[in-house]
Amino acid sequence: MKALVLGGGSMKGAFQVGVIQAVLENGFEPEMIYGISVGALNATYLTNETGHQLKEKKEISWSVAGRKLLEFWIKNITHPQDISMLRSRVKLGMNTIMSRFDGILDPLPLHQLIRKNVLDEYLQSTSVKLKVGAVNIESGEIKYVSPQDSRFLDYVYASSSIPMLMPAVSIHNDLFLDGGLREVAPIRQAIEDGATEIVLIACHSPLLYQPEGINARNLITLIERVRDITVNQIVNNNILWAESYVDRSILRGVPMKLTVIRPDVPLVLDLQRFTSDDISRLIVEGYRMGIETLKKAEKISN
């Protein structure tokens, strides 16, 4: 079973979009797609597109699906207000005092964008298996769900809800947040579901970005920095575990293939001030890295 595993990374997910295009153009046709955080958004859109194609043309063109995802980002994600709105200081202060804290940012624009571009009908009708992960705040456990769950899109919202910056999402009387709190790259779930050929696309390099002159008194900047530090360590651990698992499987005579594509240097993107040029820059960088990594992998296999 071929699986495409998409890790988290906030708006650095634009890099992931470029890699996805390179991977799909190279002929990889996933039977399963897994996503966390922004990876959940990209996974859901890709799978939705396959359902659309099957309904309209009775077949899937993966290169077209990747291009549609790329066009979706370029057209719809051009500045921070396309994703979220900063709550007023007065409302934020009152909600905090009254124990009704609901995040510093309102993610309504992102939720509307998802709802506008994703149809339950397409997600239900495609042959591609999809799972996204979100963390139950009370139990601390990560939960993976498929489109067969009646609240699937709510889990997508939760998976992409950055802790502290965005509100937890209530689903079946439980509160859920970003799956990246537990697993940034959901490869363990893909393997448990039977994946044997895996392409994992991460948005974080092995090394941590070290900003100069960081303003730690800016709350959003501070939260983002703490998140970068934590996420970087988690994704490194996820990848090390996966590489070790695959190596042990091969030694036991069980054929598996894992291709990891990630930035070689840390990506830089200001969540509060990015522009369409920044998004395009990351998409191009992702495409370049995807092509380079696939060429290296092909040489090794030959």
Side-chain angles (χ1 to χ4, degrees):
M1 293 285 284
K2 296 182 179 180
L4 181 63
V5 176
L6 306 178
S10 189
M11 291 302 96
K12 295 173 185 175
F15 170 88
Q16 189 175 82
V17 170
V19 179
I20 290 171
Q21 182 65 22
V23 168
L24 298 182
E25 282 184 355
N26 195 58
F28 187 73
E29 298 184 352
E31 300 161 88
M32 315 148 75
I33 305 180
Y34 295 79
I36 289 285
S37 189
V38 70
L41 299 177
N42 286 335
T44 299
Y45 187 90
L46 266 181
T47 307
N48 178 82
E49 174 59 24
T50 65
H52 182 206
Q53 290 184 17
L54 285 172
K55 182 176 181 180
E56 297 294 324
K57 300 181 180 180
K58 310 303 180 184
E59 62 181 3
I60 298 174
S61 170
W62 282 104
S63 60
V64 171
R67 188 164 64 249
K68 289 291 186 179
L69 175 63
L70 190 152
E71 292 171 355
F72 168 79
W73 272 74
I74 291 177
K75 177 182 178 181
N76 296 290
I77 304 177
T78 61
H79 51 74
Q81 290 72 32
D82 290 329
I83 301 302
S84 61
M85 300 177 293
L86 185 64
R87 300 189 192 276
S88 72
R89 294 181 180 179
V90 173
K91 184 175 182 179
L92 181 60
M94 288 298 297
N95 285 347
T96 303
I97 292 173
M98 301 299 291
S99 297
R100 295 197 303 258
F101 179 73
D102 206 22
I104 297 170
L105 303 175
D106 183 350
L108 179 62
L110 176 60
H111 295 180
Q112 291 177 332
L113 189 60
I114 295 171
R115 175 52 70 181
K116 179 180 177 181
N117 290 275
V118 173
L119 295 181
D120 293 334
E121 176 187 1
Y122 294 157
L123 293 177
Q124 296 283 348
S125 62
T126 182
S127 58
V128 180
K129 296 180 181 179
L130 168 66
K131 282 188 178 180
V132 303
V135 169
N136 184 312
I137 296 303
E138 183 175 347
S139 70
E141 297 178 348
I142 190 167
K143 180 176 182 179
Y144 285 96
V145 298
S146 69
Q148 280 62 50
D149 191 294
S150 61
R151 301 287 299 277
F152 175 76
L153 283 186
D154 287 328
Y155 283 104
V156 176
Y157 300 157
S159 186
S160 58
S161 190
I162 303 173
M164 298 301 294
L165 289 182
M166 296 177 178
V169 178
S170 178
I171 307 173
H172 302 309
N173 298 318
D174 289 318
L175 292 175
F176 288 84
L177 273 174
D178 186 357
L181 288 168
R182 293 300 300 266
E183 294 181 343
V184 177
I187 190 166
R188 188 186 304 267
Q189 185 64 44
I191 290 174
E192 288 180 0
D193 289 347
T196 55
E197 184 176 347
I198 303 166
V199 174
L200 188 161
I201 305 175
C203 301
H204 296 81
S205 79
L207 302 176
L208 180 66
Y209 169 59
Q210 299 182 27
E212 295 182 3
I214 184 172
N215 181 9
R217 294 188 179 276
N218 180 303
L219 183 57
I220 295 180
T221 299
L222 179 60
I223 291 173
E224 273 294 288
R225 181 54 181 168
V226 171
R227 175 177 165 79
D228 274 344
I229 294 171
T230 304
V231 166
N232 185 264
Q233 185 60 51
I234 294 174
V235 73
N236 284 342
N237 290 342
N238 292 157
I239 291 173
L240 285 173
W241 176 87
E243 290 174 337
S244 177
Y245 183 95
V246 170
D247 288 342
R248 293 196 307 271
S249 295
I250 294 173
L251 288 174
R252 293 195 302 266
V254 180
M256 289 193 72
K257 181 180 179 181
L258 170 64
T259 303
V260 177
I261 307 177
R262 63 192 307 198
D264 51 3
V265 296
L267 301 176
V268 179
L269 184 73
D270 189 336
L271 184 64
Q272 302 174 67
R273 297 181 181 85
F274 70 83
T275 66
S276 57
D277 288 341
D278 293 319
I279 296 299
S280 296
R281 169 178 56 84
L282 290 184
I283 290 175
V284 171
E285 175 61 19
Y287 186 82
R288 181 192 67 80
M289 181 56 64
I291 294 296
E292 288 185 4
T293 304
L294 291 171
K295 285 183 178 178
K296 290 179 182 177
E298 185 176 353
K299 287 182 179 179
I300 293 173
S301 63
N302 293 334

